[in-house]
Amino acid sequence: MLYYLFEYLENQYQLPGAGLFQFLTFRAAMSVLLSLLIAMVYGKRIILFLQKKQIGESIRDLGLEGQQQKAGTPTMGGVIIIMSTLLPVLLFADVKNIYVILLVVTTLWMGLIGFIDDYIKIFKKDKKGLKGRFKVIGQIVLGLVVGATLYFHPAVTIKEKDTTRITENFKVERVYGEETKAVRTNVPFFKNNELDYAEWISWAGEGLEDYAWLIFIPVVIFIITAVSNGANLTDGIDGLAAGSSAIIVLTLGIFAWVSGNIEFSDYLDIFYLPRVGELVVFIAAFVGALVGFLWYNAYPAQVFMGDTGSLTIGGVIAVIAIIVRKELLIPILCGIFFAESLSVMMQVGYFKHTKRKYGEGKRIFLMAPLHHHYQKKLYHESKIVTRFWIVGILLAIISIVTLKIR
């Protein structure tokens, strides 16, 4: 709201300093600072409130070292992340921007699903929480909304590159590219780095490219479901999900910045996406919220994010990646989430296969998800988390490098 207030003051009264709010960098800087302060200052109060209400984690005995000492640690700490993100966004972002609206909806919707799950676990004493099918239904609904909005909304466009042409009088004339609706995305590592979802259906007949939404929306649903569940599985030891997510979101912030800048996007040969630069304000707030939450979630954790936080984080990351047309980079950029999910699928699949074949199930890992495997090997939590962060940073650097390596 401050964005509109100072815009009005600048236009009507030329108030000195009011023009600062028109600069994306200034608003992003203010957003990250405010979100960090909210998470660190009010995070403690929320933790004390959760302790007072005895909203603590019930720990299943998995035979892991130091596990039982965590019993009773406040959970639902994802509320800190959500609050610390949305308040700066409402103050400093252009809340009429369609991309900001989508991310606010994603944050609230996934936060609500996670909150219901945590509520059932804590207050209904049901360790399974919200039934899996209801979580998936919630993710599908969000995917439908996000996919349909990105496909049909008139403000979601790609601006074609400016070109030059020689006129009949042999003069060089600049031709400005137009904004067009398209369901195209960048393909990493390839020089002709463009993938058009419409081509996946247009081959079947003329005019079918108008039905590209039949391909695009299911892809969006799959990505949101996969990434949010991956983030949920990663949230298993102190600081792992929050730290890994901060690295991923910061990288997506770089992508949003260059994609929303016509000069950088032209130089890097990626899509110029009008109005997508406003995402940087949201991303800055989200990074600040994650780092602020990490202040209390680092080992030994004073609070857990619960599904309220982990599902929200995964949903937001997925939607940002889709908006900036970098969804094909998710297996690399979100490699930690991918490895955690893959370890569970491999473990379950191999166990079922060997049980059918030999009558006794065998395991690939000592325990899944992957971070529990290293705990079983008696690695300390802090060492596991730090090494996962290092891998996450390497994957983030590789993702950024793909902008030029083709």
Side-chain angles (χ1 to χ4, degrees), residues 285-340:
F286 200 52
V287 170
L290 288 169
V291 174
F293 176 78
L294 194 58
W295 182 269
Y296 299 106
N297 185 240
Y299 181 86
Q302 296 173 255
V303 65
F304 298 139
M305 67 173 66
D307 281 21
T308 307
S310 60
L311 290 177
T312 302
I313 288 171
V316 168
I317 288 173
V319 173
I320 295 173
I322 294 165
I323 288 173
V324 298
R325 318 283 171 134
K326 296 293 181 291
E327 63 267 31
L328 297 183
L329 271 178
I330 285 177
I332 300 173
L333 179 58
C334 301
I336 298 297
F337 296 172
F338 183 69
E340 296 277 32

Side-chain angles (χ1 to χ4, degrees), residues 15 22 50 59 62 111 119 143 165 174 181 196 215 222 242 326 357 360 369:
L15 182 71
Q22 299 305 310
L50 293 172
I59 304 294
L62 301 175
Y119 182 87
R165 68 181 178 187
R174 188 175 181 85
K181 291 290 297 178
D196 193 342
I215 301 294
F222 172 77
K326 296 293 181 291
K357 191 171 183 179
E360 181 182 356

Side-chain angles (χ1 to χ4, degrees), residues 247-260:
I247 295 166
I248 294 168
V249 175
L250 184 60
T251 307
L252 287 172
I254 295 172
F255 290 144
W257 174 267
V258 298
S259 297

Side-chain angles (χ1 to χ4, degrees), residues 49-292:
F49 174 80
L50 293 172
Q51 287 175 333
K52 183 179 179 180
K53 297 296 182 180
Q54 296 182 336
I55 304 175
E57 186 77 24
S58 58
I59 304 294
R60 288 186 301 162
D61 188 9
L62 301 175
L64 299 172
E65 185 179 353
Q67 182 186 21
Q68 292 307 314
Q69 285 87 329
K70 297 183 179 184
T73 302
T75 188
M76 283 190 177
V79 173
I80 299 171
I81 298 172
I82 294 171
M83 179 186 71
S84 303
T85 299
L86 293 183
L87 287 177
V89 167
L90 292 175
L91 288 174
F92 298 112
D94 177 6
V95 293
K96 295 179 182 177
N97 183 289
I98 185 59
Y99 300 119
V100 173
I101 292 171
L102 274 180
L103 285 176
V104 170
V105 169
T106 298
T107 303
L108 293 173
W109 181 253
M110 295 304 291
L112 176 62
I113 295 171
F115 181 86
I116 293 171
D117 183 68
D118 289 333
Y119 182 87
I120 293 172
K121 288 178 182 175
I122 296 165
F123 294 102
K124 302 297 182 181
K125 306 300 180 183
D126 184 352
K127 293 182 180 180
K128 293 181 179 180
L130 184 66
K131 292 184 184 298
R133 63 176 176 270
F134 293 120
K135 286 185 185 179
V136 173
I137 290 171
Q139 291 161 340
I140 290 173
V141 170
L142 178 64
L144 283 169
V145 172
V146 172
T149 302
L150 293 178
Y151 187 86
F152 293 107
H153 198 282
V156 179
T157 60
I158 294 175
K159 190 176 186 299
E160 301 293 343
K161 292 181 180 179
D162 298 341
T163 58
T164 57
R165 68 181 178 187
I166 299 175
T167 66
E168 293 180 357
N169 298 326
F170 300 100
K171 292 182 179 180
V172 177
E173 185 179 76
R174 188 175 181 85
V175 180
Y176 293 95
E178 297 180 353
E179 290 188 29
T180 60
K181 291 290 297 178
V183 280
R184 289 179 289 174
T185 189
N186 288 116
V187 180
F189 302 115
F190 287 91
K191 194 169 185 66
N192 186 17
N193 62 331
E194 222 176 80
L195 183 148
D196 193 342
Y197 291 108
E199 292 179 357
W200 290 10
I201 194 171
S202 60
W203 62 269
E206 188 176 347
L208 287 179
E209 60 271 9
D210 294 335
Y211 297 92
W213 59 271
L214 293 172
I215 301 294
F216 180 69
I217 293 178
V219 168
V220 171
I221 291 171
F222 172 77
I223 292 171
I224 289 175
T225 303
V227 178
S228 59
N229 287 331
N232 194 24
L233 288 171
T234 304
D235 181 32
I237 51 179
D238 301 350
L240 178 57
S244 301
S245 300
I247 295 166
I248 294 168
V249 175
L250 184 60
T251 307
L252 287 172
I254 295 172
F255 290 144
W257 174 267
V258 298
S259 297
N261 185 292
I262 194 166
E263 294 181 359
F264 287 146
S265 58
D266 183 60
Y267 171 71
L268 295 169
D269 194 26
I270 59 176
F271 297 125
Y272 169 53
L273 307 171
R275 295 168 291 277
V276 88
E278 198 65 29
L279 283 186
V280 175
V281 179
F282 183 98
I283 290 170
F286 200 52
V287 170
L290 288 169
V291 174

